[in-house]
Amino acid sequence: MTESLTIALSKGRILDDTLPLLAAAGIEPLDDPRKSRKLIFDTNQPNIKLVIIRAADVPTFVEFGAADLGVAGKDVLMEHDGDLFELLDLGIARCRLMVAEPADIAANDDPANWSRLRIATKYVKIARRFFAAKGIQTEIIKLYGSMELAPLVGLADRIVDLVDTGNTLRANNLVEIEHIADISSWLVGNTASMKLKHELMQSTIAAVATALEATNE
Ligand code: PRT
Ligand code: MG
């Protein structure tokens, strides 16, 4: 039986940064996923295809074997918290996961004194774990976007969100107050595929690793 692989990617910054890396590893989609509305793409490798899905869905596709490999942000992987292999840190889409709060509160705030907080975030599990480990009680309010708005309208005291340049926080009078994790995107793999499709998985992972080393030189 000829082995075949499906690689799950998401539109936006992950796709923009992963396509050049895959090309350097010898894997190129036949149509441009940045322009097409298709969800499945054949590549120049007859046994490798790409699927383009929502960023937060990549770990689910990989864990359940709908994709053998995928690229997902560490934030999404920490929140998913599932059974898959984290194979390679691709060093792309870097940012940091932070607790932020209004600048006027931060002026007189010491995280060492936190005991009860109301947090708005899309990272419910990560936030719960982070504050529980510090013994801080939290009410977590799940949002799907624009977390920065929550403290401005009294929905929450603090937010947990990704920060890159800090422009979004600054524009909304928020400041970073606690660091949760440094984030980058990882190549992840389905655990069964690592055994059942050993050869093709290993050669593909090795090709990506070599391409990654070349870009880091
Ligand atoms: O867009 P969609 O809802 O489908 O999914 P998504 O928003 O999760 O996807 P996408 O492409 O926006 O992000 C994919 C991954 O990129 C994330 O899971 C992160 O691992 C990574 N990444 C890197 C970022 C950022 N940098 C980032 N800055 N994801 C989001 N942001 C947002 C952040 O949430 C905040 O709203 O950008 C804003 C902050 O940016 P600065 O530069 O103003 O600080
Ligand atoms: Mg987005």
Side-chain angles (χ1 to χ4, degrees), residues 10-203:
S10 59
K11 276 213 163 124
R13 50 198 118 205
I14 289 186
L15 195 57
D16 295 344
D17 290 356
T18 306
L19 286 180
L21 194 61
L22 286 181
I27 303 164
E28 296 189 68
L30 299 182
D31 295 320
D32 186 347
R34 287 164 302 194
K35 293 184 182 140
S36 169
R37 298 182 73 91
K38 289 197 332 190
L39 301 174
I40 304 184
F41 293 85
D42 289 323
T43 71
N44 62 325
Q45 305 284 342
N47 53 355
I48 300 183
K49 56 182 194 258
L50 308 182
V51 293
I52 308 294
I53 56 182
R54 291 293 291 266
D57 289 334
V58 168
T60 306
F61 273 61
V62 173
E63 179 171 8
F64 293 96
D68 305 285
L69 291 169
V71 176
K74 186 77 183 177
D75 50 316
V76 164
L77 295 168
M78 287 165 69
E79 183 67 16
H80 177 76
D81 196 23
D83 183 20
L84 38 74
F85 284 125
E86 293 182 4
L87 299 165
L88 276 179
D89 182 355
L90 302 181
I92 62 176
R94 282 184 194 277
C95 55
R96 52 196 185 277
L97 189 60
M98 304 294 300
V99 185
E101 66 185 13
D104 54 339
I105 294 182
N108 299 299
D109 192 26
D110 181 356
N113 297 331
W114 287 348
S115 60
R116 271 193 82 85
L117 297 178
R118 193 134 81 125
I119 307 280
T121 187
K122 69 173 175 183
Y123 301 103
V124 171
K125 281 195 215 165
I126 297 175
R128 196 165 282 137
R129 278 198 302 259
F130 177 77
F131 291 106
K134 292 173 171 288
I136 299 166
Q137 282 187 44
T138 49
E139 187 182 346
I140 311 260
I141 299 172
K142 162 91 187 185
L143 293 179
Y144 292 86
S146 302
M147 270 74 81
E148 298 85 3
L149 186 58
L152 308 183
V153 295
L155 183 59
D157 328 309
R158 316 268 180 319
I159 62 169
V160 167
D161 195 10
L162 299 174
V163 181
D164 178 15
T165 62
N167 289 339
T168 307
L169 290 184
R170 268 191 296 280
N172 294 292
N173 270 313
L174 300 171
V175 295
E176 301 169 42
I177 184 96
E178 282 257 80
H179 177 271
I180 300 180
D182 286 320
I183 303 294
S184 57
S185 290
W186 283 69
L187 181 70
V188 293
N190 173 266
T191 53
S193 303
M194 294 294 286
K195 298 184 199 115
L196 300 174
K197 303 181 181 181
H198 182 79
E199 244 166 80
L200 187 52
M201 287 286 276
Q202 289 302 338
S203 62

